[in-house]
Every structure is written in structure tokens, then in C-alpha cells.
């Protein structure tokens, strides 16, 4: 059998296709060629090879190879980090007034834990200055506040924002904060609204779901009622601020996801707000995150409903706000970012890592630099410098080129253009672990396969990504 590492066959209910990594394109193929490529039938091998050869004559399905795994931005790293840093997130405290059972600081993870560390004003000031000095090429930058629970250090945040506005009034600077929502009050709300903050509030769903995990440290009681009261107050009295609020739900697979979907879908409080969701993080967790079969079935059902909604078969009111984010992922990766090519570059890198420190520089409460807030702060593998010494360019380059750890496999990978692996996929807190990274590849393959299938299914049923208007009008029932 003839093989090509850079093609991936897949099918929908209607037809068979291949994704060609070389051209970054998708082609409809015959059942015969699909059976040959999936090794289900090689009885018509000659015909299948002729079909592949025909595609090759039109500059598709070529046997071009990748000779080196190297990120294209490696050569310009010093320049990027000297003038194009887009933002900084300040960990103003590692303290929190909650003890969420799944939190990465909860003690259930090997990578982090709650502490009494707080960021001094002078350190926060240096962090801001570090950003401004290295963002000359950026029209705008963002300064974020993170914890722990950052509102425990509200006075520090007030002081830093005042300093920024006084000293850097000519720079376009936006502010953001991630909070558990329990400490919001009139003083804080007024400040956030007056300074046009974007606010991410953690809310896991209805009371019976949310209060299972998100509890007060002092009392052990649930936080749902407090958060809902605060959100309702903002909606009533701080309308501009409410427009800048989004929500993130952490999904516990052991609990009923349909309750969470129904909560965000049916409550008018969330009618015009953005809701994202993420499953409990398995990275560095001391015990394994178990995902029941019924959770997977429910998740796939909600994804299917999103596709039906986009082709006009069901109403918006029947589609989970949480799952709608999956469509945005399809559009971004398959339409906005996917560019057709003629051949593979001799030097390429999997698409996973961003430039560490350039897009979302994270500074810990003690002044260490990390690529973002998602990586482990207890791992020397992910620290890319500190406020006193600046960036460690050698470490940044190592993390940017994390694909070199598995270079032999990445060179031959059909999903190289859609890979989501960054340093977090390889970090075991002791070393950058090749096998750990390889173990995560199957999940990437499943994700990209699903991405391709859902994208093509939408196109088959007439969805127009150019103007995002479904071809079919809404029907109360499916056609026979």
C-alpha cells in the first residue's frame, strides 16, 4: 500500500474526504480511495493510486517533506520581546477567600497551592513599566489582574490603575480582571465601570451544581447566592459594566452537564453575555479526572445541536451558550486562520505554542515570568525570566520550539497545522517529558478529526461561512 503521512481521510454521513496537510485543503474523494486509505480494502489499489496521482498532478497530495522542526519566529524573538509584548497579567495575590475543590491552588494539584504571598505595589509598578517599555510596536496593550482572588488586593489595583493613567495617559491601555465574584460591591463596581474593565466571573451553573465545588474558605458554605446577588446588582445599576462581563464555567464531569447548559440558556440574566466553559484541568492533578460516558454523550449532543442551529434547523433558544463557543472554534481554525499553500515548508513547527511572554505575559506575586497563567508556577521548565533580569531568551526559544522534543513524529504528523500542544503538554514539573507530550497526541488527533468533520458537515448542508446566514430557514420539524 502506498502511504502518505500528510493526508488524513475522514467521512461524513454524505461523503468521503481527505485533508491534505501540504496544501492545507480538503478534497472530496471516492469510496474506493477512502477504503484504500483507511486500509479497509486494497482490492482496487491501482485505481486508488491513479486517483492520488491525479491530485498530485494538480499540485495536491504531494510527497513534500519537512526537514526541520523549528518555529518561524525563532529568528526574531529578541525583536518581538523588545517591542511587541501585548499585555501583562499581574498575580496580585496567591490568597483566596474560597476553597474550590477543583482549583489548581486547592492542594489537589502538584503544581500549585494557596499561600500568603501578595504583590507589593513597587513590584506591580515595575511590571507595568516592563510592559510599556516593550510594547512600542503595539497600538494597544492589556493589563490584567489575577489571583488567588485579585479583589482581595483591591486597594493595590486602584493604586496601580491610577498610576498607569497618570503616567501613561497617551498609551491605549485596557484592563481586565478574573474574579470569583463574591467580593463585588458598589465601590468596586463603580471603579471597574469607570475604568472600563473587562471582567471574567467564575460561575459553574445553577446552585446545586455550583455549590458542589465553589465554597467559602471561612464557612465551607456555597457561594452561588452571593455571586448571583452581586451579578443582579450590576445588571440593574451598572449597565455599562454588565456589558463587559463574561462568565467561565468549570465543568465537573461527575455532575450533570445538562443542568449547567439549561441554567445559562434559560436564565435571562445571561441573555446578552458570553459564557465559556472548560473541563476540570487534568494537568498535574494528583488523582485522575474521570469522564463518564454519559458526559461525553451529552457533550456531543450539544455540539450536534449547535450544528443544527447554524443550518437553520433549530432555534437559538435551544442551543447551549456554553457549546456555542465550539462553533467559534470551527470558524477561527478552519476559516479565519487556515491559509492554502502549495507545499510544506522545509522548516516548520506545530501550531500549538504562542510566543512565550509576547501575547500574555504572566508575572507571579514574587516577580517571576511565565508564558501565561495556565502553566505551572512551581516548575522551572516554564519560568521564562523575572522582573529584575528580564526575559531568558534561551528558555523562551526552548518553549517556542517545544516540537523539537518530538521532532521525528512532528515531521510526519498530518495534524501539524492544527496542533494545540504548548509546553504544558510536556511539562511534568521536573523535566520536559517527551513521552508525556506524545501521550497527548491522540487527543489532538481526535480534536482535529472532529473539527474537520463538523466544518465539512456544515458546508454540506449549505452553511455559508462568508456571511454566516444559514441556507435553510427554521423548520419546526425535520423534513421526512
Amino acid at each position: 500500500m502506498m502511504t502518505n503521512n500528510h493526508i488524513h481521510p475522514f467521512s461524513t454521513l454524505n461523503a468521503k474526504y481527505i485533508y491534505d496537510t501540504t496544501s492545507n485543503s480538503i478534497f472530496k474523494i471516492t469510496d474506493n480511495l477512502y477504503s484504500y486509505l483507511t486500509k479497509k480494502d486494497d482490492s482496487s489499489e491501482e485505481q486508488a493510486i491513479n486517483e492520488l496521482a491525479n491530485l498530485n498532478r494538480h499540485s495536491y497530495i504531494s510527497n513534500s517533506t519537512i526537514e526541520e522542526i523549528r518555529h518561524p519566529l525563532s529568528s526574531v524573538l529578541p525583536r518581538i520581546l523588545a517591542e511587541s509584548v501585548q499585555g501583562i497579567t499581574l498575580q496580585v495575590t496567591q490568597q483566596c477567600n474560597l476553597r474550590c475543590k477543583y482549583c489548581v491552588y486547592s492542594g489537589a494539584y502538584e503544581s500549585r497551592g494557596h499561600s500568603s504571598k501578595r504583590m507589593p505595589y513597587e513590584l506591580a509598578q515595575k511590571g507595568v513599566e516592563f510592559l510599556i517599555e516593550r510594547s512600542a510596536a503595539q497600538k494597544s496593550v492589556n493589563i490584567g489582574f489575577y489571583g488567588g482572588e485579585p479583589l482581595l488586593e483591591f486597594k493595590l489595583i486602584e493604586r496601580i490603575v491610577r498610576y498607569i493613567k497618570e503616567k501613561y495617559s497617551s498609551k491605549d491601555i485596557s484592563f481586565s480582571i478574573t474574579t470569583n465574584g463574591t467580593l463585588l460591591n458598589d465601590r468596586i463596581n463603580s471603579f471597574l465601570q469607570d475604568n472600563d474593565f473587562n471582567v471574567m466571573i467564575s460561575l459553574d451553573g445553577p446552585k446545586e451544581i455550583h455549590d458542589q465545588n465553589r465554597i467559602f474558605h471561612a464557612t465551607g458554605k456555597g457561594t452561588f447566592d452571593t455571586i448571583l446577588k452581586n451579578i443582579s446588582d450590576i445588571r440593574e445599576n451598572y449597565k455599562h459594566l454588565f456589558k463587559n462581563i463574561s462568565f467561565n464555567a468549570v465543568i465537573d464531569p461527575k455532575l450533570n452537564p445538562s443542568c449547567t447548559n439549561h441554567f445559562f440558556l434559560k436564565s435571562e440574566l445571561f441573555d446578552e453575555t458570553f459564557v465559556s466553559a472548560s473541563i476540570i484541568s487534568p494537568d498535574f492533578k494528583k488523582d485522575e479526572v474521570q469522564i463518564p460516558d454519559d458526559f461525553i454523550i451529552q457533550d456531543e449532543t450539544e455540539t450536534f445541536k449547535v450544528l443544527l442551529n447554524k443550518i437553520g434547523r433549530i432555534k437559538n433558544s435551544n442551543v447551549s451558550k456554553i457549546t456555542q463557543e465550539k462553533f467559534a472554534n470551527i470558524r477561527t481554525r478552519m476559516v479565519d486562520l487556515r491559509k492554502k499553500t502549495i507545499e510544506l515548508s522545509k522548516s516548520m513547527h506545530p501550531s500549538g505554542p504562542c510566543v512565550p511572554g509576547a501575547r500574555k505575559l504572566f508575572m507571579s506575586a514574587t516577580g517571576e515570568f511565565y508564558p501565561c497563567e495556565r502553566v505551572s508556577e512551581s516548575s522551572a521548565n516554564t519560568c521564562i525570566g523575572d522582573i529584575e533580569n528580564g526575559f531568558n531568551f534561551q528558555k523562551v526559544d526552548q518553549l517556542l520550539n517545544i516540537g523539537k522534543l518530538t521532532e521525528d513524529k512532528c515531521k510526519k504528523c498530518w495534524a501539524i497545522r492544527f496542533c494545540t500542544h504548548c509546553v504544558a503538554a510536556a511539562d511534568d514539573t521536573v523535566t520536559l517529558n517527551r513521552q508525556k507530550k506524545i501521550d497527548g497526541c491522540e487527543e489532538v488527533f481526535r480534536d482535529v478529526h472532529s473539527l474537520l468533520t463538523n466544518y465539512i458537515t456544515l458546508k454540506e448542508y449549505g452553511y455559508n461561512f462568508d456571511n454566516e446566514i444559514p441556507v435553510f430557514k427554521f423548520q419546526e420539524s425535520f423534513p421526512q
Side-chain angles (χ1 to χ4, degrees), residues 68-135:
E68 176 191 36
I69 293 297
R70 183 152 184 81
H71 201 285
L73 296 179
S74 286
S75 61
V76 292
L77 267 182
R79 180 178 175 183
I80 292 173
L81 296 179
E83 59 183 42
S84 298
V85 179
Q86 300 173 32
I88 190 168
T89 300
L90 304 175
Q91 185 189 53
V92 292
T93 181
Q94 291 184 357
Q95 299 183 62
C96 188
N97 62 325
L98 306 191
R99 286 298 182 268
C100 304
K101 296 176 183 178
Y102 53 65
C103 178
V104 294
Y105 293 95
S106 66
Y109 289 77
E110 297 173 349
S111 57
R112 289 171 173 165
H114 287 294
S115 82
S116 59
K117 293 176 182 176
R118 303 163 58 195
M119 181 176 287
Y121 171 74
E122 293 74 19
L123 183 58
Q125 191 180 47
K126 285 182 179 181
V128 171
E129 292 167 352
F130 186 90
L131 167 66
I132 300 301
E133 290 168 3
R134 289 161 179 79
S135 60

Side-chain angles (χ1 to χ4, degrees), residues 437-452:
K437 185 173 183 293
I438 290 173
D439 290 344
C441 289
E442 283 301 322
E443 183 178 354
V444 171
F445 297 153
R446 288 194 298 270
D447 173 62
V448 180
H449 180 88
S450 177
L451 181 72
L452 294 166

Side-chain angles (χ1 to χ4, degrees), residues 133-313:
E133 290 168 3
R134 289 161 179 79
S135 60
Q138 294 295 124
K139 291 183 179 179
S140 60
V141 295
N142 178 263
I143 296 174
F145 298 95
Y146 196 79
E149 170 49 48
L151 290 179
L152 289 171
E153 295 296 324
F154 178 62
K155 290 183 180 178
L156 171 63
I157 295 172
E158 279 186 308
R159 192 176 174 190
I160 282 295
V161 170
R162 184 166 58 249
Y163 165 76
I164 292 167
K165 293 205 161 186
E166 289 173 355
K167 186 167 182 179
Y168 302 109
S169 57
S170 61
K171 186 80 173 178
D172 184 7
I173 300 176
S174 61
F175 300 103
S176 59
I177 189 168
T178 301
T179 175
N180 61 42
T182 61
L183 300 177
L184 295 166
N185 56 38
D186 285 334
R187 178 184 169 187
I188 292 174
N189 294 340
S190 296
F191 169 81
L192 296 176
Q193 178 165 272
D194 292 345
N195 291 285
D196 206 26
F197 265 69
N198 287 307
V199 181
M200 171 73 80
I201 297 177
S202 300
L203 183 65
D204 291 350
K207 182 179 176 67
E208 62 271 22
I209 298 292
H210 178 94
D211 283 350
Q212 288 281 328
N213 287 309
R214 302 187 66 82
I215 58 177
F216 283 111
H217 175 45
T219 65
K221 294 182 178 180
T223 59
F224 180 85
D225 292 338
T226 300
I227 297 170
L228 258 288
K229 178 181 180 300
N230 292 342
I231 295 170
S232 299
D233 180 57
I234 292 173
R235 187 176 189 235
E236 180 68 26
N237 301 305
Y238 301 91
K239 299 188 183 302
H240 177 73
L241 174 60
F242 189 76
K243 292 179 181 178
N244 289 343
I245 289 179
S246 58
F247 297 92
N248 181 66
V250 177
I251 306 299
D252 186 340
K254 300 191 301 294
L255 304 178
N256 188 349
S258 62
C259 290
T260 299
N261 286 325
H262 186 271
F263 173 73
F264 286 110
L265 183 63
K266 298 303 181 182
S267 174
E268 64 176 24
L269 190 61
F270 308 102
D271 282 350
E272 298 179 3
T273 58
F274 175 77
V275 181
S276 62
S278 56
I279 199 167
I280 291 177
S281 175
D283 295 332
F284 312 115
K285 203 168 188 305
K286 294 176 181 177
D287 58 339
E288 185 178 355
V289 175
Q290 300 289 338
I291 303 180
D293 289 343
D294 58 350
F295 175 86
I296 297 173
I297 293 170
Q298 175 71 24
D299 184 65
E300 291 180 348
T301 300
E302 292 299 327
T303 300
F304 181 58
K305 288 165 64 177
V306 170
L307 303 185
L308 289 176
N309 172 251
K310 290 300 177 181
I311 62 172
R313 300 297 181 91

Side-chain angles (χ1 to χ4, degrees), residues 361-384:
L361 176 62
F362 180 79
M363 188 173 83
S364 73
T366 50
E368 287 79 27
F369 290 158
Y370 299 89
C372 68
E373 72 279 4
R374 294 180 180 271
V375 302
S376 170
E377 295 164 45
S378 65
S379 172
N381 297 317
T382 55
C383 183
I384 57 173

